[in-house]
Amino acid sequence: MNRTSYQFQPESISEFKTQLLFWAQQYKTAIWLDSNNYQQKYSNFDAVLAVDAISEIETDYNNAFYKLKEFQTNVNDYIFGYLSYDLKNDVENLHSNNFDGLHFPDLYFFQPKKLFLIKGSTVEIKYLTKFSSEIEKDLKEIRAVKSKNQLSKKIHKRVGEPLKIKLRIHKDAYFEKINSVLNHIHRGDIYEANFCQEFYCENATINPVEVYQHLNKISKPPFATFLKLEDKFLLSASPERYIKKEGTTVISQPIKGTAKRAASAKEDLALISELEKNPKERAENIMIVDLVRNDLSRSAIKGSVKVDELCKVYTFEQVHQLISTISCKVNPNVHPVDILKNTFPMGSMTGAPKISALKIIEGLEVTKRGLYSGAVGYIAPNGDLDFNVIIRSILYNASEKYVSYSVGGAITAQSIPEKEYEECLLKAQAMKQVLLNPN
């Protein structure tokens, strides 16, 4: 499909980004990806907005990757969308029978009529050529969106009753389940498993843009996402990249290993040093690096898989994290969807060995993960792709008035249940804060 391109430089990129997000709300389908200018050397864009589906695919997990491959091949254009965690059931002989209060489709992708790519101070607009006559009108509308100060007043207006956050798994049951994972580890069934729990609100009404803006402001993550699919929303402050393909190079950047931030710079440096050397946190990360190397090798040119960075500390607003970067080379004729299928679900949200971990956590968790620990991103016409990991995220079904956020952690032989519980609360802090205290 042909696209008409138009470039310009707005006076204020940050104000234009705010205006763009508000303008996008008129459409049934919108995906906003924002790096928050985090120094991420692998990113192609600082921010991207895709709106208004001209064609789309929505399916459950049955043959989902095959259907996506067919859709991407036929469209041969930019497609944006998500892979839910439950596509594991397409990749392996698995199932998902846990409770689901959100009801997102297992897979959704769309071809946008309108695309905005932001890099530095430049905005590139790419509209499907038959809609290019709308560029001028749309830019006028975007610039007419009220100024940032007026928007921020609107953003902090509370909608509906105060929210009551509940736990799907209470503390004692959580400890029992962690001990069950540890028993599996001691028996040799697995080395590591990522166990997750859900926090939720029923009969809840929120303003999705307000909540996203606030979450993004306090987190400033490199893989922030606002996704709107009619009455369903993802508001994500993800710090993690799942997978990126550029040309014949593929990289994956799993996060495993977490430490809190300190109030003073001196204490913060001490915590960074401690995290770098912590044998338990490093073991968590290295086990997943091995798993990712194995996943990438299914698509890679033999001998090309390598670890570019091992257990490097990256600092975010709420936490320090250990991140590793693994890369490989692929043949130009490898289909991008096959790369996704060969590596999904990502190692950082599952465990090792992967299939055993998937079965064990499915039996112990009580909520269907759905979008949580899936991935949002895009595939470009040339087969390049970039996807995040959906963590540190709020999910909202406006029709069902159901709000949910989940957190998890890697359980290894060295895990102490009380410390794992504290880590979950630390990761949940930002989501809880924006839902209960909108200002």
Side-chain angles (χ1 to χ4, degrees):
M1 283 250 186
N2 291 332
R3 287 189 176 265
T4 298
S5 287
Y6 171 77
Q7 284 192 2
F8 73 103
Q9 294 187 321
E11 275 179 42
S12 163
I13 278 285
S14 63
E15 184 162 350
F16 185 78
K17 280 165 67 175
T18 305
Q19 290 169 324
L20 205 51
L21 184 61
F22 274 86
W23 172 80
Q25 300 312 307
Q26 66 188 285
Y27 297 103
K28 282 184 180 178
T29 312
I31 289 184
W32 169 251
L33 308 170
D34 190 357
S35 73
N36 287 291
N37 300 319
Y38 193 90
Q39 292 310 301
Q40 240 302 347
K41 61 181 174 182
Y42 298 103
S43 291
N44 289 356
F45 310 109
D46 296 335
V48 180
L49 175 71
V51 294
D52 204 6
I54 189 163
S55 64
E56 60 191 346
I57 176 175
E58 180 181 311
T59 181
D60 64 12
Y61 64 80
N62 288 293
N63 293 318
F65 282 104
Y66 174 78
K67 292 172 191 170
L68 177 60
K69 190 173 177 176
E70 205 172 38
F71 177 70
Q72 194 277 334
T73 304
N74 291 338
V75 164
N76 194 27
D77 188 19
Y78 286 94
I79 61 168
F80 285 73
Y82 67 77
L83 311 164
S84 83
Y85 173 77
D86 299 293
L87 295 188
K88 66 184 172 58
N89 307 338
D90 183 32
V91 179
E92 301 294 343
N93 184 20
L94 299 164
H95 58 267
S96 299
N97 294 328
N98 289 328
F99 171 77
D100 177 15
L102 288 158
H103 309 297
F104 279 76
D106 288 342
L107 177 145
Y108 178 81
F109 276 81
F110 75 105
Q111 174 193 13
K113 287 182 191 174
K114 303 173 181 185
L115 192 52
F116 296 77
L117 307 168
I118 298 171
K119 184 77 177 173
S121 59
T122 302
V123 178
E124 184 178 11
I125 297 174
K126 284 179 176 283
Y127 277 26
L128 286 174
T129 299
K130 62 178 173 181
F131 301 103
S132 61
S133 60
E134 295 176 27
I135 292 176
E136 219 167 284
K137 172 184 75 73
D138 287 349
L139 274 176
K140 202 174 276 184
E141 273 182 27
I142 293 161
R143 289 174 177 136
V145 172
K146 292 173 185 172
S147 76
K148 208 169 180 181
N149 290 338
Q150 288 168 297
L151 286 175
S152 63
K153 283 175 193 165
K154 182 182 172 184
I155 285 164
H156 296 312
K157 214 168 89 183
R158 163 58 74 204
V159 179
E161 293 297 307
L163 302 181
K164 292 184 178 68
I165 297 173
K166 300 176 189 174
L167 281 82
R168 190 65 63 189
I169 301 171
H170 288 280
K171 199 172 180 178
D172 291 347
Y174 176 84
F175 289 151
E176 278 174 32
K177 287 172 184 288
I178 296 300
N179 283 320
S180 180
V181 176
L182 288 168
N183 289 339
H184 280 290
I185 292 169
H186 297 142
R187 276 205 302 268
D189 302 332
I190 46 171
Y191 313 117
E192 177 176 346
N194 192 284
F195 177 75
C196 300
Q197 58 173 323
E198 184 197 22
F199 297 77
Y200 67 99
C201 309
E202 294 166 306
N203 197 25
T205 305
I206 62 170
N207 180 326
V209 186
E210 165 205 297
V211 174
Y212 167 77
Q213 291 269 28
H214 193 193
L215 182 63
N216 192 45
K217 186 180 174 185
I218 66 169
S219 303
K220 299 185 179 71
F223 300 101
T225 304
F226 179 97
L227 179 149
K228 178 187 179 187
L229 181 54
E230 298 196 22
D231 60 342
K232 298 173 187 71
F233 297 85
L234 164 70
L235 323 169
S236 178
S238 174
E240 183 172 1
R241 171 180 274 121
Y242 156 41
I243 199 160
K244 178 175 198 264
K245 174 183 178 285
E246 187 169 6
T248 56
T249 301
V250 176
I251 65 156
S252 185
Q253 295 185 291
I255 292 181
K256 273 285 151 269
T258 306
K260 64 182 181 182
R261 295 291 310 270
S264 76
K266 190 180 174 185
E267 282 175 274
D268 227 20
L269 284 172
L271 288 170
I272 288 171
S273 176
E274 200 180 301
L275 178 61
E276 259 173 337
K277 296 171 192 149
N278 186 307
K280 186 256 176 190
E281 305 289 341
R282 287 182 69 85
E284 264 186 40
N285 194 297
I286 290 163
M287 284 181 207
I288 299 306
V289 167
D290 279 342
L291 188 153
V292 171
R293 284 168 63 205
N294 183 56
D295 283 352
L296 287 178
S297 70
R298 292 178 191 167
S299 310
I301 293 166
K302 200 174 176 184
S304 70
V305 178
K306 64 180 200 290
V307 179
D308 302 276
E309 262 180 2
L310 185 66
C311 299
K312 185 179 174 186
V313 177
Y314 283 73
T315 295
F316 303 99
E317 296 294 307
Q318 276 99 23
V319 288
H320 303 292
Q321 306 256 214
L322 289 181
I323 302 182
S324 293
T325 302
I326 307 100
S327 69
C328 73
K329 293 285 182 186
V330 294
N331 284 316
N333 59 353
V334 170
H335 199 284
V337 175
D338 288 336
I339 295 168
L340 294 172
K341 187 177 180 181
N342 286 336
T343 54
F344 196 83
M346 64 291 299
S348 61
M349 295 307 295
T350 53
K354 193 192 268 188
I355 297 166
S356 299
L358 285 167
K359 287 176 180 171
I360 288 163
I361 55 188
E362 183 67 37
L364 289 169
E365 291 176 1
V366 297
T367 307
K368 181 180 169 179
R369 287 195 191 177
L371 236 65
Y372 172 69
S373 72
V376 170
Y378 67 88
I379 304 176
N382 64 358
D384 286 356
L385 56 84
D386 204 358
F387 284 81
N388 71 2
V389 177
I390 302 170
I391 51 174
R392 320 289 157 82
S393 300
I394 294 165
L395 290 153
Y396 177 46
N397 183 320
S399 301
E400 304 273 345
K401 294 191 169 182
Y402 191 85
V403 173
S404 167
Y405 61 92
S406 293
V407 288
I411 312 304
T412 67
Q414 296 159 299
S415 290
I416 298 160
E418 290 77 10
K419 288 209 179 317
E420 294 298 337
Y421 193 75
E422 282 170 25
E423 186 181 307
C424 280
L425 296 181
L426 176 66
K427 289 171 177 172
Q429 211 174 320
M431 283 90 76
K432 182 181 179 181
Q433 183 183 330
V434 299
L435 287 169
L436 296 183
N437 308 301
N439 294 313

